[in-house]
């Protein structure tokens, strides 16, 4: 647009948003915390740095409008003209906006008319409209149709099938020479034509030549409730835990030996035997440790804490598990869940289950709700059934960040 030509933007925001459903008119409803109207104003203000912006609003919507203006950067709000009241149809609302601009001491050379309900209009689309408007006097953004379109009678009978290649779904903003569009609106009103659904239709009716330029698929008109949901999804931040989920499996057995207590899940449980092992023989923590190491394919407990090494003699097994959890953290990952099953005829696990869960949760840095402990007998079968020892199984779930090439772990 040449520097001499002046430009105004009219944003029509006087509809009731019937199709969008309950609550206040859709243009005042937020998407990701900011109203459609504030988003549309900001988009047009950014794309047209020299233009005045006039909003057309419902008679009772002044408070909602003022609220939307508070959502704007102060610089944008300063570009707004005093809003004017709309009419019963979009066409009437635009006409009211045009008449208000016509009353200004210096009406603009060009005008862009934009729907408040199109908050995602991209700046390059606006630039194309401005260039074409200046070149030929009237321009609208359009996109090609993918569906074949039928003209259909009220009773469902197909009247005809327009050639799809000649059809375009048009959007806003639509650009016009100000004076010709004002004349077109006045003529249409005088002729009782109040059924025209966009300004291009008013201009065409008055004999103006209108050109279509390339629109944008993202320049949707928020119309139905699901359009709000899609808009929220579009603006939602990327999910926090992008990456991959891994599950590891662990299994361990320890034999009974003479003694008075077993240590299971870090909890000492009185019993007629103890468990024999190089460390404290906590079969449950060992199974969980292997599950955590398994989830990150980082060997097993014996690799990191060899039984041949005297320093682990009698060691408290919580340090093995804490070590495995730390290995996950070192990979940028997070242990999110642990589930263990204890297999023995005795001692009875049930009374100690919650203490075990709390102990395991504390070692792993997990909320207790992410730790499960279950127990079963083996129906007197096998070594556990003969009360020769205790077995434990566990799975651990780990979230790891996305990796360029997971196979390089090896
Ligand atoms: N519009 C307007 N005055 C009207 C009707 C519509 O200013 N009397 C505006 C709307 O606020 C919207 C744009 O024109 O920004 C496009 O209209 P539409 O999407 O149909 O919005 P509503 O009319 O509000 O919605 P509905 O038709 O579902 O009631
Ligand atoms: Mg409408």
């Amino acid at each position: 647009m040449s520097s001499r030509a002046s430009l105004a933007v009219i944003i029509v925001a006087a509809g009731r948003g019937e199709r969008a459903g309950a609550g206040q008119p859709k243009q005042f409803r937020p998407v990701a915390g900011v109203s459609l109207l504030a988003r549309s104003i900001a988009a047009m203000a950014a794309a047209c740095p020299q233009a005045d912006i006039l909003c057309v609003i419902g008679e009772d919507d002044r408070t909602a409008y003022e609220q939307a203006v508070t959502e704007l950067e102060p610089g944008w709000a300063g570009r707004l003209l005093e809003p004017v009241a709309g009419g019963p149809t979009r066409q009437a609302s635009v006409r009211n906006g045009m008449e208000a601009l016509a009353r200004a001491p210096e009406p603009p050379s060009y005008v862009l008319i934009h729907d408040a309900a199109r908050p995602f209009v991209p700046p390059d689309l606006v630039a194309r409209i401005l260039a074409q408007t200046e070149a030929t006097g009237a321009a609208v953004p359009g996109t090609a149709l993918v569906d074949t379109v039928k003209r259909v009678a009220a009773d469902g009978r197909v009247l005809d099938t327009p050639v799809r290649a000649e059809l375009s779904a048009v959007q806003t903003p639509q650009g016009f020479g100000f004076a010709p569009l004002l004349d077109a609106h006045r003529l249409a009103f005088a002729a009782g034509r109040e059924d025209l659904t966009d300004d291009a239709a008013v201009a065409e009716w008055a004999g103006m030549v209108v050109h279509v330029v390339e629109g944008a698929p993202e320049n949707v008109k928020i119309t139905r409730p699901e359009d709000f949901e899609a808009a929220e999804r579009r603006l939602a931040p990327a999910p926090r835990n992008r990456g991959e989920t891994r599950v590891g499996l662990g299994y361990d057995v320890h034999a009974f030996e003479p003694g008075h207590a077993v240590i299971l899940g870090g909890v000492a449980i009185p019993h007629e035997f103890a468990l024999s092992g190089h460390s404290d023989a906590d079969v449950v923590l060992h199974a969980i440790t292997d599950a955590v190491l398994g989830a990150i394919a980082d060997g097993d407990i014996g690799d990191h804490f060899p039984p041949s090494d005297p320093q682990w003699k009698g060691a408290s097994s919580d340090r093995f598990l804490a070590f495995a959890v730390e290995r996950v953290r070192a990979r940028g990952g997070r242990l999110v869940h642990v589930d263990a099953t204890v297999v023995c005829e005795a001692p009875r696990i049930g009374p100690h289950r919650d203490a075990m869960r709390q102990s395991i949760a504390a070692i792993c840095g997990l909320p207790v709700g992410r730790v499960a402990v279950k127990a079963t007998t083996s129906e007197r079968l096998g070594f556990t059934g003969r009360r020769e020892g205790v077995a434990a199984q566990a799975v651990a779930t780990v979230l790891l960040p996305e990796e360029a090439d997971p196979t390089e772990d090896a």
Side-chain angles (χ1 to χ4, degrees), residues 12-19 26 87-90 93 115-117 221:
V12 279
R16 297 297 87 198
E18 311 262 333
R19 285 168 292 176
K26 62 186 180 182
T89 62
R90 184 186 183 284
S93 292
D115 292 333
K221 188 170 69 154

Side-chain angles (χ1 to χ4, degrees), residues 11-21 25-28 36-37 40 56-58 86-94 114-118 172 197 221-224:
I11 297 183
V12 279
R16 297 297 87 198
E18 311 262 333
R19 285 168 292 176
K26 62 186 180 182
Q27 58 272 28
F28 302 115
L36 298 189
L37 178 59
S40 296
V56 182
I57 60 174
T89 62
R90 184 186 183 284
Q91 189 183 341
S93 292
V94 174
H114 187 56
D115 292 333
R118 294 186 193 268
T172 71
T197 52
K221 188 170 69 154
I222 306 285
T223 304
R224 293 170 297 257

Side-chain angles (χ1 to χ4, degrees), residues 63-77:
T63 310
Y65 170 80
E66 306 281 0
Q67 171 59 38
V69 171
T70 66
E71 298 166 3
L72 293 167
E73 306 270 338
W76 293 161

Side-chain angles (χ1 to χ4, degrees), residues 108-195:
S109 307
Y110 294 98
V111 64
L112 295 188
I113 318 282
H114 187 56
D115 292 333
R118 294 186 193 268
F120 299 128
V121 56
D124 58 319
L125 182 155
V126 181
R128 286 194 292 277
I129 290 291
L130 285 172
Q132 185 69 38
T133 302
E134 201 172 25
T136 60
V140 301
T143 57
L145 281 103
V146 287
D147 294 324
T148 293
V149 174
K150 307 279 183 196
R151 280 201 325 117
V152 185
D155 66 358
R157 191 173 53 92
V158 172
L159 299 171
D160 59 24
T161 305
V163 177
R164 189 172 63 192
E166 288 181 5
L167 296 175
S168 181
V170 305
Q171 309 175 332
T172 71
Q174 302 188 345
F176 306 89
F178 178 77
L181 186 70
L182 179 64
D183 286 345
H185 266 282
R186 285 175 173 171
L187 278 173
F189 180 58
R193 284 303 301 264
E194 285 279 13
D195 57 335

